[in-house]
Amino acid sequence: HSALSTTFRSFSQDGDSGSHSDFEPKRKQVNDEDEAIEMVREHVQNNKVMLYMKGNPSMPMCGFSATVVKVLQDEGVDFSSVNVLDYPSIREGVKQYSQWPTIPQLYVNGEFIGGCDIITSMAENNELEDLFKEEKSV
C-alpha cells in the first residue's frame, strides 16, 4: 500500500530555494484511499458545481474534459474543478467515491451527475439547463 500525496499551498516564508516560498509546492501525505475519498466528499459538499477533469478549464488535457467544460460554459455556470492529473490520489478517490470508472465527473449540489456522455446528452435534452435553473433558484 503506497502512500498517496497531494499538493497544497503553504503561506510560510521559510526555505531558501531562491523562489518565494509561497510559490513552492508543498506535499501533504494522503496515507490511504479513505483520506482521498474524504477529500472528494469535502470538495463535492463545499462546491455547488464540482468538476473532476484532466487539465483545467482554460487548458483541458483530454477531449472529454474539454467537452464538459464547453457545455458548462455554454450553460453559463460557475464551477470549481480539480485537475486529476496533478493529484493521482484524488483521481482514484473520485472513482471510488462515485463508483464511476472514468474522468471527467460532474457533481451538482453534492450529487454525482455523470461523465461526458451523460452531460452531453443532458445538455442536448435541456435537462442540464433545468438542473442549473433549479440550482440558481436555490
Side-chain angles (χ1 to χ4, degrees):
H1 215 36
S2 66
L4 302 174
S5 67
T6 187
T7 302
F8 71 99
R9 293 231 356 232
S10 171
F11 293 98
S12 67
Q13 292 190 347
D14 45 71
D16 52 292
S17 65
S19 175
H20 194 277
S21 62
D22 283 359
F23 302 105
E24 292 176 8
K26 306 289 181 190
R27 292 280 171 196
K28 177 185 176 197
Q29 292 299 318
V30 179
N31 297 317
D32 59 25
E33 226 173 64
D34 292 339
E35 281 186 51
I37 291 169
E38 183 55 34
M39 214 176 265
V40 169
R41 185 183 339 275
E42 288 175 21
H43 290 164
V44 301
Q45 289 175 351
N46 294 328
N47 296 281
K48 286 185 182 231
V49 182
M50 186 73 211
L51 176 64
Y52 291 89
M53 63 179 292
K54 293 179 182 174
N56 61 57
S58 58
M59 197 164 80
M61 301 298 280
C62 87
F64 299 114
S65 291
T67 297
V68 173
V69 166
K70 182 171 180 351
V71 167
L72 292 174
Q73 289 171 338
D74 289 349
E75 293 288 338
V77 175
D78 289 332
F79 61 100
S80 300
S81 68
V82 170
N83 178 358
V84 299
L85 298 177
D86 286 345
Y87 303 98
S89 59
I90 298 296
R91 183 180 189 170
E92 293 311 308
V94 73
K95 293 175 184 181
Q96 295 292 324
Y97 183 78
S98 64
Q99 298 296 301
W100 189 260
T102 58
I103 304 291
Q105 293 189 14
L106 181 68
Y107 294 80
V108 177
N109 291 325
E111 182 183 344
F112 176 58
I113 304 301
C116 184
D117 292 346
I118 291 169
I119 300 307
T120 304
S121 173
M122 287 178 73
E124 289 167 357
N125 298 328
N126 294 324
E127 293 171 48
L128 210 54
E129 182 182 349
D130 294 342
L131 176 69
F132 290 127
K133 269 187 198 160
E134 290 171 23
E135 205 277 316
K136 287 176 184 172
S137 66
V138 170

